[in-house]
């Protein structure tokens, strides 16, 4: 098959960006398909790290918008519709798989000019659709009907998006690279008497960094050997640093900022507990799968999407969203119960293997064939 994957949120691997699009394209190519990625340009993008094995076309430029208490890219440029139309004329794709489809956005222009089988995977949930969005949806409703199939990464994603994109669908979750995130990864050197909590995410309001910092502050005197690793950057980085300074936690909290891609699995293998305190708006939670694949015991917010990955008490612990008290309670429980930590780590690792990208890619390929045969 000739397949076009369309995603505004795609940076060249391994520089970061959309893990879903990268691994899906890689998996489809391993199955013998001709895959191209259509995305947009980023101001700080270095094309020298664009992967040679995945043909990538970039049109327009990315505008970062504040949505859902976080930031999301939106492709802009007067030339986009003309270039997209030309791209689709030059090559007859069997499948066009869009990873967003909002009015006047890159995926939507692709849908307008497409004359083949179209698939949509909406990754965003939880944000408020304003009047402009609803008006745009009404104006372009006839084009939405050109979507033949929908792939939702969770039941939450289906419930949230189905009213806007009704029709044939499959629930196929995000995958995880079980070779990159595995028990064979070498952990960092560490002091044996320390107990390490780990946060790996962007530092913005949505990701709940304040909940974790408040919980840590409650536990610092009870557990003097407890330390916190914070991996990632974001708009709240300096405020988080100031909070740590004001509460005299400098010797207990370490900010690592952005780390090399190859070091991320090593942090999971080094920590004693991985914490995901996100407040909401997650379709599934790839980061949970990454930690679980590395056998890191996980404590996560009990939010939609996360609760489809974590079975509370079996593959991880879930705590009340935005509750530093409940998070502190769950951390205390795992610190004191070594057997429970081992059980969560082992069960989580086994669960993550079910999300290995080769298995997920095969499910998506099967759905492509089904839609082509049907339409």
């Amino acid at each position: 098959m000739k397949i076009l994957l369309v995603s505004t949120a795609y940076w060249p691997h391994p520089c970061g960006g959309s893990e879903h699009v990268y691994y899906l394209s890689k998996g489809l190519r391993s199955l013998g398909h001709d895959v191209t990625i259509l995305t947009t340009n980023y101001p700080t993008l270095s094309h020298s790290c664009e992967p040679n094995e995945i043909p990538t076309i970039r049109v327009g430029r990315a505008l970062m918008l504040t949505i859902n208490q976080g930031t999301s890219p939106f492709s802009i440029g007067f030339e986009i519709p003309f270039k997209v139309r030309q791209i689709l004329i030059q090559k007859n794709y069997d499948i066009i798989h869009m990873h967003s489809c909002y009015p006047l956005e890159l995926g939507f222009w692709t849908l307008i000019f497409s004359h083949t089988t179209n698939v949509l995977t909406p990754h965003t949930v939880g944000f408020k659709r304003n009047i402009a969005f609803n008006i745009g949806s009404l104006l372009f409703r006839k084009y939405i009907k050109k979507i033949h199939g929908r792939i939702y990464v969770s039941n939450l994603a289906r419930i949230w998006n189905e009213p806007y994109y009704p029709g044939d669908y499959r629930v196929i979750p995000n995958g995880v690279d079980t070779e990159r995130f595995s028990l064979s990864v070498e952990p960092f050197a560490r002091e044996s008497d320390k107990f390490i909590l780990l946060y790996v995410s962007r530092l913005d309001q949505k990701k709940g960094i304040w909940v974790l910092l408040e919980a840590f502050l409650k536990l610092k005197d009870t557990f003097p050997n407890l330390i916190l690793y914070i991996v990632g950057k974001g708009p709240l980085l300096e405020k988080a640093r100031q909070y740590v300074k004001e509460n005299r936690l400098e010797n207990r909290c370490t900010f690592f900022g952005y780390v090399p891609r190859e070091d991320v699995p090593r942090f999971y293998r080094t920590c004693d507990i991985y914490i995901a305190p996100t407040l909401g708006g997650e379709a599934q939670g790839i980061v949970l799968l990454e930690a679980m694949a590395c056998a890191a015991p996980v404590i996560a917010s009990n939010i939609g999407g996360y609760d489809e990955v974590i079975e509370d008490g079996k593959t991880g612990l879930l705590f009340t969203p935005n509750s530093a008290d409940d998070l502190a309670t769950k951390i205390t429980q795992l610190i004191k119960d070594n057997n429970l930590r081992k059980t969560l780590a082992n069960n989580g690792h086994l669960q993550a293997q079910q999300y290995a990208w080769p298995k997920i890619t095969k499910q998506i390929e099967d759905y492509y064939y089904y839609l082509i045969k049907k339409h």
Side-chain angles (χ1 to χ4, degrees), residues 127-372:
F127 72 89
K128 295 180 179 180
R129 291 172 164 87
N130 57 27
I131 294 176
F133 180 92
N134 292 328
I135 292 175
S137 297
L138 290 173
L139 292 175
F140 298 113
R141 180 174 292 176
K142 68 176 182 179
Y143 296 111
I144 296 296
K145 293 180 181 179
K146 294 177 66 176
I147 301 173
H148 302 105
R150 299 121 188 102
I151 295 175
Y152 299 117
V153 299
S154 65
N155 282 306
L156 175 69
R158 177 188 61 80
I159 293 169
W160 183 259
N161 288 282
E162 198 170 31
Y164 302 92
Y165 309 109
D168 194 294
Y169 73 89
R170 295 287 186 277
V171 175
I172 303 175
N174 289 307
V176 63
D177 185 348
T178 52
E179 293 182 359
R180 178 183 169 212
F181 298 94
S182 71
L183 301 181
S184 64
V185 173
E186 184 70 23
F188 291 111
R190 52 170 290 177
E191 297 179 56
S192 59
D193 64 331
K194 301 298 183 183
F195 194 98
I196 302 174
L197 304 181
L198 175 65
Y199 172 95
V200 179
S201 193
R202 181 173 170 81
L203 275 74
D204 60 26
Q205 192 65 32
K206 167 185 166 182
K207 297 298 183 180
I209 182 63
W210 296 120
V211 181
L212 176 54
L213 288 174
E214 290 175 15
F216 186 83
L217 185 62
K218 295 175 183 293
L219 298 174
K220 70 178 183 68
D221 294 329
T222 305
F223 302 103
N225 291 332
L226 188 66
I227 60 176
L228 174 61
Y229 285 176
I230 299 174
V231 176
K233 287 186 177 181
L236 296 182
L237 175 58
E238 293 308 316
K239 287 186 179 180
R241 289 183 184 275
Q242 186 63 30
Y243 181 93
V244 167
K245 183 177 180 180
E246 290 174 354
N247 290 282
R248 300 179 181 179
L249 298 173
E250 295 98 326
N251 295 331
R252 307 281 293 276
C253 297
T254 304
F255 291 87
F256 290 89
Y258 286 126
V259 299
R261 186 173 181 277
E262 60 270 17
D263 284 349
V264 175
R266 299 186 67 190
F267 275 100
Y268 291 131
R269 292 291 293 150
T270 303
C271 75
D272 294 290
I273 304 175
Y274 171 70
I275 313 288
T278 308
L279 304 182
E282 296 290 338
Q284 181 192 8
I286 296 177
V287 68
L288 302 181
L289 295 174
E290 294 175 349
M292 292 161 65
C294 292
V298 174
I299 300 178
S301 300
N302 190 4
I303 59 174
Y306 280 8
D307 61 0
E308 295 184 46
V309 176
I310 299 292
E311 184 177 349
D312 191 26
K314 183 176 180 180
T315 58
L317 294 184
L318 297 174
F319 74 95
T320 304
N322 206 22
S323 173
D325 289 333
D326 195 30
L327 176 55
T329 298
K330 294 300 193 298
I331 293 172
T332 299
Q333 180 183 358
L334 281 193
I335 291 176
K336 292 183 175 181
D337 193 337
N338 185 53
N339 289 332
L340 179 58
R341 287 204 314 277
K342 290 181 178 179
T343 297
L344 297 182
N346 292 335
N347 291 342
H349 174 72
L350 293 175
Q351 175 74 0
Q353 308 312 303
Q354 303 306 311
Y355 294 84
W357 264 114
K359 295 181 180 180
I360 301 302
T361 301
K362 189 63 176 65
Q363 293 180 51
I364 294 175
E365 181 197 43
D366 289 344
Y367 189 46
Y368 287 169
Y369 281 126
Y370 162 79
L371 291 173
I372 289 175

Side-chain angles (χ1 to χ4, degrees), residues 2-192:
K2 294 188 290 292
I3 303 168
L4 181 66
L5 302 180
V6 185
S7 174
T8 302
Y10 178 75
W11 281 66
H13 181 88
C15 300
S18 175
E19 297 282 291
H20 185 106
V21 173
Y22 172 78
Y23 283 110
L24 177 57
S25 63
K26 185 177 178 181
L28 289 170
R29 289 177 67 84
S30 71
L31 293 173
H33 301 295
D34 180 358
V35 183
T36 302
I37 295 173
L38 175 61
T39 184
T40 194
N41 288 288
Y42 288 80
T44 58
L45 176 66
S46 172
H47 291 279
S48 62
C49 56
E50 197 91 77
N52 295 325
E53 77 273 21
I54 306 172
T56 302
I57 304 171
R58 295 184 178 272
V59 298
R61 63 185 179 87
L63 174 66
M64 303 306 294
L65 301 177
T66 300
I67 299 175
N68 199 22
Q69 301 184 70
T71 55
S72 296
F74 190 90
S75 52
I76 60 173
F78 291 110
E79 77 284 6
I80 290 179
F82 306 102
K83 288 189 176 181
V84 168
R85 183 173 182 272
Q86 185 178 18
I87 290 166
L88 299 188
I89 290 174
Q90 290 174 347
K91 192 169 185 177
N92 293 319
Y93 292 99
D94 300 296
I95 285 283
I96 293 180
H97 187 168
M98 299 157 292
H99 290 263
S100 63
C101 189
Y102 303 123
L104 304 181
E105 195 265 340
L106 182 60
F108 193 83
W109 287 117
T110 308
L111 181 64
I112 287 178
F113 296 115
S114 172
H115 295 285
T116 188
T117 304
N118 304 301
V119 186
L120 171 66
T121 297
H123 291 272
T124 305
V125 301
F127 72 89
K128 295 180 179 180
R129 291 172 164 87
N130 57 27
I131 294 176
F133 180 92
N134 292 328
I135 292 175
S137 297
L138 290 173
L139 292 175
F140 298 113
R141 180 174 292 176
K142 68 176 182 179
Y143 296 111
I144 296 296
K145 293 180 181 179
K146 294 177 66 176
I147 301 173
H148 302 105
R150 299 121 188 102
I151 295 175
Y152 299 117
V153 299
S154 65
N155 282 306
L156 175 69
R158 177 188 61 80
I159 293 169
W160 183 259
N161 288 282
E162 198 170 31
Y164 302 92
Y165 309 109
D168 194 294
Y169 73 89
R170 295 287 186 277
V171 175
I172 303 175
N174 289 307
V176 63
D177 185 348
T178 52
E179 293 182 359
R180 178 183 169 212
F181 298 94
S182 71
L183 301 181
S184 64
V185 173
E186 184 70 23
F188 291 111
R190 52 170 290 177
E191 297 179 56
S192 59

